[in-house]
Amino acid sequence: ISSRNSQFAIGTMTDEQHQKTTILLYDDGNGITLKAAPNGVMTILMNRGPNVFNPSLIGSLMAALRKVEDVDHPKALVIRGVGKFFSNGLDLEFMQNSEPHETSAMIEQCWNFLARLLVLDCRTVAAINGHGFGAGLFLALACDFRIMRTKRGFLNFPELNLGMRLGKGFAELSKAKITSPQVLREGVLTGKRYDSHASLKAGLVDDECSVEMLQERAESLALQGLPDELGAKFFDATSFQQMKME
């Protein structure tokens, strides 16, 4: 597949056909991959255990996101983890063993990545396969839609328990995406852990499903955002991105 001149056909395929025709667009060799399905839906898969945010993870996610930006429309993006964690947040071990300026630089890199994802010029869906703590929650919030697996995993603001502040970037993202002041107050000031049912009730996610159905449901939701599916005859990617910014 080549960038800026690649079109995906939209259609229904079996799981076997899907696997055979999925194209690998990026692989950092350390658990972060980007694959494209023939229907236009791409998936960034995070497979680094707890998927904690450090310079290495952020760099790989940013590289994958640039690949997504370079693919022509129609397109949509799913972001999913593997196993127990969607993402367990910032890499506390890295922060404890780094100089303050290194930690500040890493957090700024994280903000820059989330800001870029937030205004991506296509639909984005977080497929929350497990725990989403701190920066993991913010990664999900930066996506347009969120689906969470049932029976395992919590969404959580851990800053209260860790004795940390949110930081301007994370705070602004939370206020923009969590429209209920009561939920924002509860999450930030009590450190409540939200399972999939509580997350759905609080409006933190849009849907919940079994882990076996998670990728399929996330791709289906992403697919619904393609211009033809929306009946958007005059879709313009730049205008779409600007609407997200506004």
Side-chain angles (χ1 to χ4, degrees):
I1 187 170
S2 58
S3 299
R4 288 298 177 197
N5 59 6
S6 303
Q7 297 290 335
F8 301 118
I10 301 174
T12 302
M13 306 183 70
T14 66
D15 289 341
E16 183 178 358
Q17 288 173 322
H18 183 279
Q19 290 298 324
K20 286 181 178 179
T21 55
T22 296
I23 299 172
L24 181 66
L25 298 182
Y26 175 78
D27 186 345
D28 76 340
N30 190 24
I32 305 301
T33 58
L34 170 66
K35 294 183 179 181
N39 58 14
V41 177
M42 291 170 279
T43 298
I44 292 178
L45 192 66
M46 304 180 294
N47 191 11
R48 289 193 186 181
N51 295 322
V52 288
F53 276 72
N54 51 39
S56 173
L57 180 76
I58 297 167
S60 292
L61 289 176
M62 186 67 88
L65 192 62
R66 291 193 183 103
K67 292 289 186 181
V68 174
E69 292 171 338
D70 285 341
V71 172
D72 277 352
H73 288 269
K75 63 184 177 182
L77 177 65
V78 171
I79 300 180
R80 179 170 65 84
V82 174
K84 182 179 179 180
F85 296 96
F86 179 66
S87 169
N88 206 32
L90 297 176
D91 188 339
L92 298 181
E93 182 177 355
F94 171 84
M95 296 171 67
Q96 291 167 355
N97 294 314
S98 299
E99 297 296 326
H101 73 275
E102 294 174 316
T103 295
S104 296
M106 186 265 287
I107 293 176
E108 186 171 348
Q109 290 171 350
C110 184
W111 288 349
N112 289 338
F113 166 71
L114 294 177
R116 200 158 179 164
L117 174 63
L118 184 67
V119 298
L120 190 66
D121 66 350
C122 64
R123 178 174 290 195
T124 56
V125 179
I128 306 169
N129 59 288
H131 299 309
F133 280 39
L137 170 58
F138 303 135
L139 173 60
L141 291 177
C143 293
D144 301 325
F145 296 89
R146 289 162 288 284
I147 299 179
M148 187 173 180
R149 68 163 293 180
T150 55
K151 297 184 179 179
R152 172 181 284 186
F154 296 97
L155 297 181
N156 172 254
F157 290 90
E159 289 76 15
L160 177 74
N161 184 54
L162 295 173
M164 299 171 60
R165 53 173 292 193
L166 273 180
K168 183 68 171 176
F170 297 139
E172 291 301 321
L173 175 60
S174 299
K175 288 186 285 186
K177 288 301 188 84
I178 301 175
T179 57
S180 167
Q182 291 77 19
V183 171
L184 189 60
R185 177 183 62 194
E186 178 183 62
V188 173
L189 300 185
T190 74
K192 177 178 177 176
R193 296 187 177 195
Y194 298 84
D195 63 13
S196 65
H197 181 69
S199 295
L200 183 60
K201 185 177 179 180
L204 295 175
V205 301
D206 302 287
D207 199 2
E208 59 178 347
C209 68
S210 68
V211 68
E212 292 81 9
M213 295 294 296
L214 185 61
Q215 182 68 26
E216 180 180 338
R217 293 279 287 274
E219 286 192 20
S220 176
L221 181 56
L223 188 66
Q224 293 170 32
L226 297 185
D228 283 354
E229 297 295 317
L230 294 172
K233 295 181 180 180
F234 303 105
F235 176 82
D236 180 82
T238 301
S239 296
F240 185 74
Q241 184 176 52
Q242 289 173 340
M243 283 194 293
K244 288 189 176 184
M245 292 178 180
E246 293 167 348

